[in-house]
Amino acid sequence: MELLIVSLASLLAGFVDSIVGGGGLILVPALFATFPAAHPATLFGTNKGASVWGTGFATWQFSRRVEMRWAALLPAAAAGFVASFAGAWLVTVVSPDYLRKLLPAVLLAVLIYTVFKKELGRTHAPLFSGAKEAWLAAAIGGVIGFYDGFFGPGTGSFLVFLFVRVLGYDFLSASAAAKLINTATNVAALFLFVAKGHIWWHFVLAMALANVAGSLLGTRLALKHGTGFVRVFFILVVSALILKTGYDAFLR
């Protein structure tokens, strides 16, 4: 029964995560509710062990249908990998609790900006090219990668927003870019969790298969319905993240 519950949660998480990120909003609470006595690091490691496959397959699906600006995205993924590993290491010695009350406000600002800027991310018109685009993308990957390793909630949504706002991508292309970087940050954090023995391999296989199935479904929907669909989904996920992180920070 426990395996069934977390596999279904992983399926839904893969679906949401493949479109705009935010899968951790579903899978992490499901793991904590199902295994309340487990070490948190083990649950985080198990989450990464499943979700990395969903983001990886989503990246592959997007790359077949969406323009991937590899010259900028590969440095961003590399920066995200290194920074995520550093963040994951730092969280073993420094508590990220001070971020809990700040996060809902940051997400609310992102939501308000997106809602009122109705044309934001509707057309794909990259603002930069060459080395400048690569450096900016690497900066985004590094900052959000560190955040992902250190704390995590909303990583995919932050990546999508910054690729839209800073680099001029549309929501569909930004989501594709976010999947590549999120895959790199997940792999980095997973390496650290595995090295420290914080992962349940006997759950990861079934959860990974479910996550991939959800990811493939979500990616196909995003590709079929395009930027407008991804924008609406982004608003819904960020709204849910505000409620969840606000509850965790002020009411729990």
Side-chain angles (χ1 to χ4, degrees):
M1 182 57 69
E2 292 171 336
L3 180 59
L4 178 62
I5 291 171
V6 295
S7 294
L8 289 174
S10 186
L11 176 74
L12 183 57
F15 174 79
V16 172
D17 211 41
S18 66
I19 302 174
V20 290
L25 181 69
I26 298 165
L27 186 51
V28 171
L31 283 165
F32 273 85
T34 307
F35 306 105
H39 193 293
T42 301
L43 300 182
F44 285 129
T46 302
N47 168 60
K48 292 294 186 186
S51 61
V52 69
W53 294 99
T55 53
F57 271 85
T59 302
W60 175 66
Q61 285 283 96
F62 274 122
S63 69
R64 299 169 62 201
R65 299 275 298 278
V66 176
E67 177 193 5
M68 300 287 284
R69 297 172 71 84
W70 295 108
L73 297 182
L74 290 178
F81 179 92
V82 173
S84 178
F85 193 90
W89 172 82
L90 185 63
V91 80
T92 64
V93 294
V94 177
S95 173
D97 283 346
Y98 66 90
L99 288 176
R100 293 188 188 279
K101 293 186 177 181
L102 179 62
L103 183 58
V106 175
L107 287 166
L108 182 60
V110 168
L111 178 64
I112 292 171
Y113 189 91
T114 303
V115 169
F116 282 94
K117 287 279 189 177
K118 296 188 183 299
E119 297 306 311
L120 182 73
R122 291 192 179 276
T123 57
H124 187 58
L127 300 174
F128 308 99
S129 60
K132 189 168 186 179
E133 182 182 19
W135 278 108
L136 285 170
I140 292 171
V143 170
I144 304 302
F146 182 83
Y147 168 79
D148 188 31
F150 185 63
F151 193 51
T155 293
S157 298
F158 283 133
L159 285 170
V160 170
F161 177 77
L162 290 173
F163 272 102
V164 170
R165 178 63 186 86
V166 176
L167 297 182
Y169 292 12
D170 64 18
F171 271 97
L172 185 62
S173 298
S175 184
K179 294 290 93 57
L180 174 64
I181 296 165
N182 210 181
T183 299
T185 63
N186 282 344
V187 169
L190 181 61
F191 278 174
L192 189 67
F193 286 126
V194 170
K196 291 183 173 291
H198 288 300
I199 189 167
W200 284 340
W201 292 110
H202 55 295
F203 281 106
V204 164
L205 179 59
M207 290 171 61
L209 291 173
N211 199 262
V212 168
S215 176
L216 293 176
L217 178 59
T219 306
R220 288 181 181 178
L221 277 176
L223 290 169
K224 180 179 179 180
H225 297 290
T227 287
F229 170 79
V230 177
R231 183 180 188 275
V232 171
F233 211 86
F234 175 84
I235 290 171
L236 292 174
V237 168
V238 171
S239 298
L241 278 166
I242 292 169
L243 294 175
K244 175 65 168 62
T245 56
Y247 172 80
D248 288 345
F250 299 107
L251 299 176
R252 199 169 186 176

